[in-house]
Structure formats: structure tokens, C-alpha cells
Amino acid sequence: MSSTTNGQWYPPEWPDRIRALANGELTPAEPRRAATVLLLRDSASGRPDVHMLRRRASMAFAGGAYAYPGGSVDPRDERPVAWAGPSRAQWAVRMGVDPATAQSIVCAAVRETFEESGVLLAGASADTVVADTTGEDWEADRAALVAHEVSFADFLDRRGLMLRSDLLGAWARWITPEFEPRRYDTWFFVAALPEGQRTLPQGPAPGPGPAGTPSASTEADLALWIRPAEAAAGYDRGELLMMPPTIATLRGLQPYATAADALAAAEAQDLTPVLARARLVGGEIELSWPGHEEFTKHITRTDAGTGAPGGGEPDGRTDGAGPSGGTSA
């Protein structure tokens, strides 16, 4: 059983896997590329809200944790697609990858946002965006994408739409630690909710916890809009479970007064990958995320398999992100 400290999800198998890696008994898995989107909308509070999903408690890991829409790159995301905004070559330079990889990651970001929230960053031309994605026909298309029955490129082509890459801003990059069995190289993007569009589903907010609606996602049971500062405060109180990249990006959003401000600030964000480091110090494991000291953990031998951080040390939680920086989809 996993546990939490200060709201961070903490899987019980970490200590044994970290020790196995340090002893040369564990071969790291190759991380899969993935993308997740911090979807923003302006609010009357004077600060933008961010769209978050709560993972179903039945999920194999990070059950009950809050994340953003996101998931793995589909090999078909490299297929030719109608494109507007910065070119694939420009995205490649910004992201430090080749143009084909840049396209696949940006396509995954837009596709996963539509699949999990119903919001589509695409339009009939380079200066328009779809105004409404509600209705049975849109829902059928979304379900077909979720089921991998159609590629994103074919979906856009049939609809006569082009991907609006200018509506995205690359914000951060986190790679799941080497000791995790499922690893992801995840790009975090910011985007503003297009005018006229709304997230799915709509309806009253049931049950306890932050106000939200039942989620249409197969991996989430709640969808909500929340101010980054409010979500971070819930994490700090231990009420909202999050993985390190989620809370780190939430904190990074707090200074911006509008969604447009955050999107403009994306150009200056550092995209150096954040990869957790684990080392043995005496009989204790020290786990840290460079540049994010609040997540440093110290785990003693007696904690192995318990999921309980050792020594009373402070802990600082995808989406679509994996346990320590990746995506679960």
C-alpha cells in the first residue's frame, strides 16, 4: 500500500528498487515519450484556473492523485498532419529534438487534451479555432481516438482541421527515475482554453473534496478547474495527492495573472530534463530531484516495502504523470 507525506504519492516498492539499481542489479527501462497539458482559463479571481483530473483510486499506481490531461506518444502521431503556428523545425530547436519527434510530442499533447478533456487546439485555418466540441458526433470521434480506432491525423483530415501549435507553450520536461519499471520522458505544455470551448463533462459537482464534475476519462473520476495556488495549498496540507512534476508546475504557474501571461512566459522556461537521483548514504537512501529540493527524501532500511518515508524527513506528486515524473497513460 502506498502512502503520502505532504500530499506526495509514495509507492512502497521504491526502497527495494533503488537499492537494486545502486547495486547494479536493476537495468533501467527505456523511457517512452509523452506529453501533458496545463490547460488554463482566466477567472474572476484575478488569477487563471488550471484544469486537473483526479486519477481513479483503482489505478495500479497514483490512485487518487491529481494530474493534468496527458499520455504517451502514439507512433501514428508522426503521420503528416495539417499544421499551423511555429514549424516542426522551430519546435525541434525549442525542445532539443529532431523535427519528427517534435511533431509527435506536440500532436500527442493536442490529441490527449481532446481525448481527456474534450478541448481541441485546432481550427479550420491558421487563425481560427474550433468554437464548440460538444455533441454526439464529437463524442464519437473522441471515443474513437481513445480506443485507437483512428489516428489523430486522420481525425483532423476528415474534419478539415489543422493543428494550432501556436496555442501551446513548452513549459517543462520530467523523466521518470531509472528505478521505475514504467518510465516516461514527459513534456509539459501550457495552453489557454479556446473561446467557446468547455471541458467535459458538464454537470453538478458531487461528493466531498474540491468542486468538480465526474470525469469522462477512463483513468480519472473527477475533473475540476482550480487556482494553482489553491491546489498547491491543498497539497501542502496533505489533502490533494500529487507527484513531484505536478506540484512543481503548479507552483511555477502562480506568478501569472492571466493565461496569456503564462503562455508568453513559456518561451523562457528551462526545458532541461528533471531526473530524480538516488544514492546510498550509509544505510539510508537519499532521493532527490535536482532543482526541486522540497521533494528530497531519506529512506532507512526499515522503511523498505512499507511506503513510509524514513527518519521523519520532509517530503515534498500525471499526467498524466508517472510516480516521479512521467505519464501514466
Side-chain angles (χ1 to χ4, degrees):
M1 180 178 180
S2 60
S3 67
T4 62
T5 300
N6 290 352
Q8 184 181 339
W9 183 79
Y10 173 51
E13 65 272 14
W14 272 8
D16 288 341
R17 295 190 63 84
I18 291 170
R19 290 191 175 94
L21 179 66
N23 294 332
E25 301 166 356
L26 181 67
T27 300
E30 188 69 23
R32 296 175 60 185
R33 291 193 297 272
T36 189
V37 176
L38 287 65
L39 189 62
L40 305 171
R41 72 175 185 188
D42 292 328
S43 69
S45 70
R47 294 287 173 177
D49 293 331
V50 62
H51 185 61
M52 302 193 77
L53 303 173
R54 186 179 65 191
R55 292 174 57 78
R56 295 184 185 277
S58 59
M59 295 298 290
F61 62 84
Y66 286 79
Y68 313 114
S72 301
V73 169
D74 185 321
R76 298 176 298 175
D77 288 331
E78 290 191 8
R79 292 183 180 179
V81 61
W83 187 278
S87 68
R88 296 162 180 79
Q90 289 173 303
W91 275 104
V93 171
R94 172 72 177 113
M95 299 169 70
V97 298
D98 62 84
T101 298
Q103 175 189 302
S104 69
I105 295 168
V106 171
C107 276
V110 176
R111 174 180 53 75
E112 288 284 346
T113 300
F114 179 59
E115 288 183 11
E116 298 200 359
S117 73
V119 171
L120 183 60
L121 304 176
S125 65
D127 56 1
T128 63
V129 66
V130 173
D132 185 9
T133 60
T134 60
E136 293 183 0
D137 58 334
W138 285 104
E139 180 57 25
D141 283 344
R142 192 181 69 83
L145 284 167
V146 171
H148 301 284
E149 295 171 354
V150 63
S151 71
F152 191 58
D154 289 343
F155 158 70
L156 291 179
D157 182 62
R158 183 172 58 77
R159 287 272 182 178
L161 299 173
M162 57 176 53
L163 182 151
R164 289 285 306 274
S165 78
D166 56 315
L167 300 182
L168 285 170
W171 191 263
R173 182 183 181 187
W174 289 66
I175 302 177
T176 310
E178 294 179 331
F179 52 81
E180 284 285 357
R182 295 171 58 184
R183 302 186 63 215
Y184 299 91
D185 182 352
T186 304
W187 297 86
F188 287 72
F189 296 87
V190 291
L193 178 70
E195 184 176 354
Q197 292 195 38
R198 54 184 176 175
T199 53
L200 297 175
Q202 302 298 310
T213 63
S215 173
S217 169
T218 58
E219 295 188 358
D221 62 7
L222 185 75
L224 73 156
W225 288 95
I226 187 170
R227 286 188 302 113
E230 181 182 350
Y235 168 89
D236 290 335
R237 293 191 300 268
E239 298 171 359
L240 302 186
L241 308 186
M242 299 181 199
M243 291 180 280
T246 309
I247 182 59
T249 48
L250 276 174
R251 296 202 199 284
L253 287 175
Q254 292 184 44
Y256 303 102
T258 66
D261 288 345
L263 192 60
E267 297 182 8
Q269 295 299 308
D270 184 3
L271 299 183
T272 301
V274 179
L275 176 63
R277 296 173 180 169
R279 63 175 185 153
L280 293 175
V281 182
E284 187 177 68
I285 294 171
E286 181 181 272
L287 180 61
S288 62
W289 283 257
H292 300 273
E293 287 73 18
E294 71 168 295
F295 305 131
T296 298
K297 298 179 181 294
H298 292 87
I299 307 170
T300 67
R301 288 190 180 278
T302 58
D303 296 318
T306 68
E313 294 293 334
D315 293 346
R317 153 196 165 240
T318 129
D319 23 244
S324 357
T327 177
S328 59

